[in-house]
Amino acid sequence: MKERCENHQKCMQMIQAVLDGSASPAEMEHFKLHMDDCLPCIEGYKLEKSIKDALQVKMEKKCCPQSTVIDIRSKIGLGLLILGFLFVEVKLYHLLFSC
């Protein structure tokens, strides 16, 4: 078993991807093969997994009230509308006043 990982930073990124479920099938396969013989990565995986598990136990999942969801969506929509108007104004300004 390896005592030192020559790609530790990259391996830790892969461990994060595996733990959060965003790793591709190829990354998962590489992870499984590599984990069998790399002590620093095994320890890193165990630490990251225990932190994730502890946070999930401590965190309480609550639903957001529907009124809050509607309020946030309307503010985002209004912001996008204002941004659209500003974009049109800038375009008109450039058309009218640039030579």
Side-chain angles (χ1 to χ4, degrees):
M1 183 165 296
K2 292 190 304 185
E3 294 291 323
R4 187 169 186 281
C5 180
E6 53 278 344
N7 297 312
H8 192 67
Q9 183 71 23
K10 187 175 180 180
C11 290
M12 290 307 292
Q13 290 173 343
M14 189 180 315
I15 286 170
Q16 288 297 321
V18 167
L19 289 173
D20 70 18
S22 65
S24 69
E27 289 173 322
M28 286 294 294
E29 186 63 29
H30 176 77
F31 170 76
K32 288 176 186 175
L33 293 172
H34 179 72
M35 285 294 291
D36 289 340
D37 68 340
C38 185
L39 186 60
C41 290
I42 292 169
E43 291 172 350
Y45 174 80
K46 287 178 181 179
L47 176 63
E48 293 295 325
K49 179 145 177 46
S50 66
I51 290 170
K52 182 178 179 178
D53 292 345
L55 286 173
Q56 285 181 341
V57 168
K58 296 288 183 186
M59 290 176 53
E60 182 179 340
K61 293 182 182 179
K62 291 184 178 180
C63 292
C64 185
Q66 190 62 27
S67 60
T68 303
V69 172
I70 291 168
D71 187 43
I72 291 171
R73 285 183 178 160
S74 66
K75 287 179 181 176
I76 291 171
L78 180 61
L80 290 173
L81 186 63
I82 292 170
L83 191 61
F85 281 126
L86 287 173
F87 179 75
V88 169
E89 283 184 30
V90 169
K91 281 292 199 182
L92 284 173
Y93 179 81
H94 282 290
L95 286 172
L96 294 174
F97 297 109
S98 62
C99 295

